[in-house]
Amino acid sequence: MHTPEYLDFLRTIARDWAKLPNTSPEVVPNVHPARYPATYPKALAGRAGWHQVDLACPIGPHTWEAAVAASESAASAVDLVLNGEAEAYALCRPPGHHAYADMAGGFCFLNNTAIAAQRLRQKHQRVAVLDVDVHHGNGTQGIFYARPDVYTVSIHADPVAYYPYVWGYAHERGEGPGLGTNLNIPLAIGTGDDGYVQAMDVARKAIESFAPGALVIALGLDPSEHDPLKGLAVTTPGFRRIGQAIARMGLPTVFVQEGGYLSDILGANLTSVLAGFEEAR
Ligand SMILES: [Zn+2]
């Protein structure tokens, strides 16, 4: 899932960085090497730039432990489902869906959603991931881009005007053996419940024709109308409809918590998704 050099980087960089003279308390690179033919650097600043795609993933002394704990939470939820539960929810912090095989970004270090999907492959030939975070699930897309066995679908605010800007467009459909197993559904900024539920319908039909054995929901709560980033405008009853649409797929389902910035409505929206899911089951 993640490359050995990236895992080694995440595990050791905060400690080694702290030994550098005149350094910042958290690892924040000042170079981001473009991936044209290039050489994996030895210098800490170079490695940091190589593995950190943006400035929203500073690495501190406890980042590694927190990221591992979050991924273990996702793995535990998968194990419950593999052992017969119809669904399970993993409260993962930090989130994961912006993390690539070898690159952190957007507050994500280990891709909990991708780890969950891969673990479900132990039992299921085909697994689908549906990302309902307001941001495109670029890391998850990247990890499975060339794989035909994991279908990745993301509904998100149009990257033409929204993070991550350079991924998340409808024309990104997978590559090689994975061509056709990635579906992006970008929505206009400010889209509300009805537009969102229509997109869920498109996603559901696409996932049903892939016929997976299990489903991972990358559960971002930031499409909320009250989210401070104001990408989409889903209401609390709208989140219930999202939960209902997920349940209609009738699949063993692992919910992995992704984004959701602080707002008073955050808890109510989570309850609403899960209640909608339960009542339509
Ligand atoms: Zn998000």
Side-chain angles (χ1 to χ4, degrees):
M1 187 70 9
H2 291 288
T3 64
E5 70 191 10
Y6 177 61
L7 293 174
D8 175 68
F9 166 79
L10 280 182
R11 196 166 44 78
T12 59
I13 188 68
R15 179 196 67 203
D16 295 346
W17 188 266
K19 294 177 193 156
L20 293 174
N22 304 319
T23 191
S24 53
E26 291 176 319
V27 181
V28 179
N30 62 357
V31 292
H32 295 278
R35 305 281 177 107
Y36 295 103
T39 303
Y40 186 68
K42 280 202 170 75
L44 297 187
R47 290 180 77 200
W50 187 276
H51 292 300
Q52 292 171 266
V53 71
D54 56 36
L55 300 180
C57 51
I59 297 174
H62 304 296
T63 301
W64 169 250
E65 285 81 357
V68 169
S71 70
E72 285 175 345
S73 172
S76 297
V78 168
D79 290 349
L80 288 170
V81 167
L82 289 177
N83 289 324
E85 294 287 344
E87 73 272 350
Y89 165 80
L91 178 50
C92 298
R93 279 294 175 267
H97 72 148
H98 296 307
Y100 284 78
D102 66 349
M103 203 160 68
F107 316 117
C108 299
F109 304 91
L110 298 176
N111 193 317
N112 309 310
T113 288
I115 287 166
Q118 181 64 30
R119 200 169 176 91
L120 284 165
R121 283 282 290 102
Q122 292 173 4
K123 181 170 172 186
H124 300 285
Q125 287 298 312
R126 287 184 305 285
V127 172
V129 175
L130 172 57
D131 190 316
V132 299
D133 191 282
V134 74
H135 301 98
H136 174 235
N138 57 317
T140 317
Q141 167 177 307
I143 286 170
F144 296 116
Y145 208 53
R147 279 180 48 177
D149 55 326
V150 178
Y151 189 40
T152 45
V153 182
S154 181
I155 302 172
H156 47 266
D158 195 331
V160 79
Y162 211 71
Y163 184 93
Y165 306 108
V166 296
W167 297 289
Y169 296 89
H171 64 82
E172 296 159 20
R173 302 199 56 241
E175 67 183 7
L179 185 61
T181 60
N182 185 76
L183 174 63
N184 286 329
I185 309 176
L187 299 176
I189 303 295
T191 296
D193 293 350
D194 290 342
Y196 203 102
V197 169
Q198 279 171 24
M200 283 296 293
D201 222 38
V202 173
R204 181 174 56 78
K205 285 178 184 145
I207 288 170
E208 282 170 358
S209 42
F210 182 69
L215 176 66
V216 180
I217 301 295
L219 182 59
L221 295 171
D222 44 12
S224 165
E225 59 177 341
H226 297 296
D227 193 85
L229 298 187
K230 300 282 178 214
L232 299 174
V234 176
T235 67
T236 301
F239 277 104
R240 191 178 207 99
R241 292 167 69 189
I242 292 172
Q244 291 167 343
I246 294 166
R248 274 186 216 113
M249 287 183 261
L251 291 164
T253 302
V254 176
F255 292 89
V256 175
Q257 185 65 53
E258 293 289 355
Y261 295 84
L262 214 50
S263 78
D264 292 339
I265 207 81
L266 204 52
N269 287 342
L270 173 60
T271 309
S272 196
V273 173
L274 299 177
F277 182 84
E278 290 300 331
E279 69 197 20
R281 225 0 174 172

